[in-house]
Each structure stands twice: as structure tokens, then as C-alpha cells.
């Protein structure tokens, strides 16, 4: 499927403008917000074109797809994150290749990332994924279990917890969205205030194509945008 580079350029510019507007609405600047592009199903040429426009963060959510595109990404100019559900037995394949794993939701997974990182002599940044809607079908740690999980993982030597990530339930309107985003911000601030060793609440990663401006207004400082940048996804790769 051919993606129009002209569209990507226009979309990129629009998103950057929207980020700046939303940030200024809440007294922040665009540079406080990390714009990560969710790149699933997008070919490396289109991804690297966005990087040439200034995009600095890429997020893949399938291990196999990440590995198949790995050699083609322009990682001299962009950092690669893993943002999808990660099975323990796939950890080995991506540690050392990604600069952050945003989807850590169990001690077992955190320990595996830590062990693998140690064996490479590195420390891997992670975010803890919170199942903010408490949805049965979704990954992520439950909100009420989040702090407990952080206390379990904070001494693992091969990881550094940098914040929280969430994919809220699909909502009918912005107001409903904000309820979940607000809840995430409260957990984020609460954990920040506890100053737990080896846990820095630097990133609150939430907001996607349909709701990233609301997310920013509710305190997100990292957004993950896919289709609004690259166009609708076609699952054919
Ligand atoms: C696909 C994806 C996104 C972006 O979704 P869009 O609605 O296309 O912006 C964000 N986060 C994760 C974890 C994703 O898998």
C-alpha cells in the first residue's frame, strides 16, 4: 500500500501544531511533550520520511514486525520504543534494540528484562502499563496494584522505571476520556510524591490519534500517535 508522503508531511505539521496548542492551554510548551509515532504496519520508508521531518520517537508493538524492520529504521535520528504486549519469552529478542519498553505490567516481565539487560551490560528504561479502565481484555497492571508492582520491581538492577503508560477504554466523548486520563495523572502524581528509589516519574504516556490533545490537557507528556500521522492502517505486512 502506497502512503502519500505529502499527506504524512501535512499530518506531521498538523499534529505538531495541535501539540503546541494543547500544551500552551495548560501552561506548557511543545518541547515538554514527547511525540512518539506508533509505527505498526507502516513501512520503513514512510517512517524514515517522518524522521526526516523531525520525528524523534518510534514505537512498535509487535516483536516480529520490529525485528523485520529493525535494520531499516533511521535510528541515528530517532529512538525506538516497544509499546505492545510483550511475552516473557520474546524479551531476549528486543532488549538492547529498543531504548524503552512501555508495556511492563508484571514482576516476571520486569525481572526478565532486567536479567537480559544485565547480561548485555545495559540498563533498560521501562514504563509501567496501567489498565486504567480495569478492562478484562486488556493488559496492564490494575490501578490499585500499580504502586505495589513498582515496589516489587524497583530494586531490579537491569531496569530503570521512567513513568507510566496507559491505553484507556474507547470512549464516546472527550469528557469521558478525561476521566481516565485524570485518574492516570493522579496515580502518576501520587507515585512521584513517594520518591521511590530507582523510580522516576518522568513520563506519563497516554493519548492516541483521537484523543492526544485531551491527554495533553490532562497531563500527558508523551503521546503515541499512529493513524493521524500515517493514515489508516492496512494489516497486510
Ligand atoms: C497503535 C497504537 C497507538 C496509536 O494508535 P492510533 O489510534 O493509530 O493513533 C498507540 N499506542 C499503542 C500501544 C498502539 O498499539
Amino acid at each position: 500500500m502506497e502512503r502519500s508522503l505529502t499527506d504524512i508531511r501535512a499530518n506531521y505539521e498538523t499534529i505538531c501544531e495541535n501539540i503546541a496548542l494543547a500544551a500552551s492551554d495548560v501552561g506548557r510548551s511543545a518541547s515538554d511533550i514527547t511525540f512518539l509515532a506508533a509505527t505498526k504496519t507502516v513501512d520503513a520508508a514512510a517512517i524514515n520520511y517522518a524522521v526526516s521531518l523531525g520525528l524523534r520517537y518510534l514505537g512498535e508493538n509487535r516483536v516480529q514486525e520490529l525485528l523485520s524492520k529493525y535494520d531499516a529504521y533511521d535510528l541515528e535520528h530517532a529512538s525506538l520504543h516497544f509499546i505492545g504486549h510483550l511475552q516473557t519469552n520474546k524479551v531476549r529478542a528486543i532488549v538492547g534494540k529498543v531504548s524503552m519498553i512501555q508495556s511492563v505490567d508484571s514482576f516476571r516481565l520486569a525481572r526478565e528484562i532486567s536479567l537480559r539487560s544485565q547480561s548485555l551490560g545495559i540498563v533498560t528504561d521501562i514504563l509501567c502499563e496501567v489498565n486504567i479502565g480495569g478492562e478484562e481484555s486488556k493488559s496492564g497492571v490494575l490501578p490499585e496494584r500499580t504502586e505495589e508492582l513498582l515496589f516489587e520491581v524497583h530494586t531490579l538492577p537491569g531496569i530503570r522505571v521512567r513513568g507510566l503508560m496507559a491505553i484507556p477504554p474507547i470512549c464516546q466523548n472527550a469528557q469521558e476520556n478525561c476521566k481516565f486520563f485524570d485518574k492516570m495523572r493522579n496515580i502518576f502524581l501520587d507515585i512521584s510524591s513517594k520518591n521511590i528509589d530507582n523510580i522516576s516519574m518522568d513520563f506519563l504516556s497516554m493519548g492516541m490519534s483521537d484523543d492526544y490533545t485531551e491527554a495533553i490537557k490532562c497531563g500527558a507528556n508523551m503521546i503515541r500517535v499512529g493513524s493521524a500521522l500515517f493514515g489508516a492502517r492496512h494489516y497486510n505486512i
Side-chain angles (χ1 to χ4, degrees):
M1 132 94 197
E2 273 302 305
R3 280 168 210 277
S4 150
L5 298 187
T6 319
D7 286 350
I8 293 174
R9 176 189 280 273
N11 292 343
Y12 181 77
E13 285 166 4
T14 303
I15 295 165
C16 289
E17 281 166 22
N18 290 342
I19 291 171
L21 287 171
S24 84
D25 260 11
V26 286
R28 295 151 79 204
S29 85
S31 61
D32 298 334
I33 314 295
T34 300
F35 171 9
L36 175 142
T39 50
K40 55 179 174 277
T41 79
V42 182
D43 57 276
I47 296 170
N48 290 341
Y49 176 69
V51 172
S52 80
L53 300 174
L55 181 72
R56 290 294 168 261
Y57 295 87
L58 314 176
E60 286 288 352
N61 70 345
R62 293 200 205 100
V63 170
Q64 212 45 53
E65 186 177 342
L66 182 151
L67 295 177
S68 76
K69 292 192 258 179
Y70 187 73
D71 289 333
Y73 299 119
D74 178 4
L75 296 181
E76 244 180 78
H77 297 103
S79 303
L80 180 62
H81 290 194
F82 190 77
I83 61 175
H85 178 65
L86 183 58
Q87 288 171 284
T88 314
N89 63 1
K90 299 273 177 67
V91 165
R92 158 179 287 272
I94 64 164
V95 168
K97 291 193 164 66
V98 296
S99 63
M100 186 183 277
I101 298 175
Q102 297 202 5
S103 44
V104 178
D105 61 357
S106 72
F107 177 75
R108 236 179 112 234
L109 182 57
R111 185 183 53 191
E112 193 62 28
I113 297 168
S114 178
L115 284 170
R116 181 61 186 161
S117 301
Q118 277 187 289
S119 76
L120 297 178
I122 61 172
V123 175
T124 300
D125 282 347
I126 66 160
L127 301 183
C128 173
E129 180 178 352
V130 181
N131 182 355
I132 194 62
E135 295 169 285
E136 209 54 69
S137 59
K138 283 228 178 111
S139 26
V141 62
L142 290 173
E144 59 273 21
R145 271 266 304 141
T146 304
E147 193 178 321
E148 196 182 329
L149 176 62
L150 294 177
F151 272 109
E152 285 166 11
V153 306
H154 84 287
T155 53
L156 291 170
I159 60 165
R160 187 165 44 212
V161 180
R162 301 293 306 278
L164 304 178
M165 183 269 245
I167 309 170
I170 294 163
C171 294
Q172 300 311 318
N173 57 58
Q175 224 173 348
E176 211 188 319
N177 261 328
C178 286
K179 192 179 73 184
F180 293 109
F181 291 146
D182 281 339
K183 217 172 148 193
M184 274 306 295
R185 181 179 50 189
N186 288 337
I187 298 171
F188 182 78
L189 292 176
D190 190 41
I191 292 169
S192 305
S193 73
K194 304 210 161 137
N195 294 316
I196 308 167
D197 280 351
N198 195 34
I199 299 209
S200 7
M201 287 289 119
D202 298 321
F203 296 105
L204 179 53
S205 170
M206 57 186 192
M208 316 201 299
S209 289
D210 290 336
D211 54 18
Y212 66 90
T213 57
E214 280 92 28
I216 291 168
K217 290 180 198 174
C218 295
N221 62 9
M222 184 186 285
I223 56 168
R224 308 177 311 270
V225 176
S227 44
L229 177 60
F230 295 113
R233 278 184 286 277
H234 299 266
Y235 288 92
N236 60 358
I237 65 170

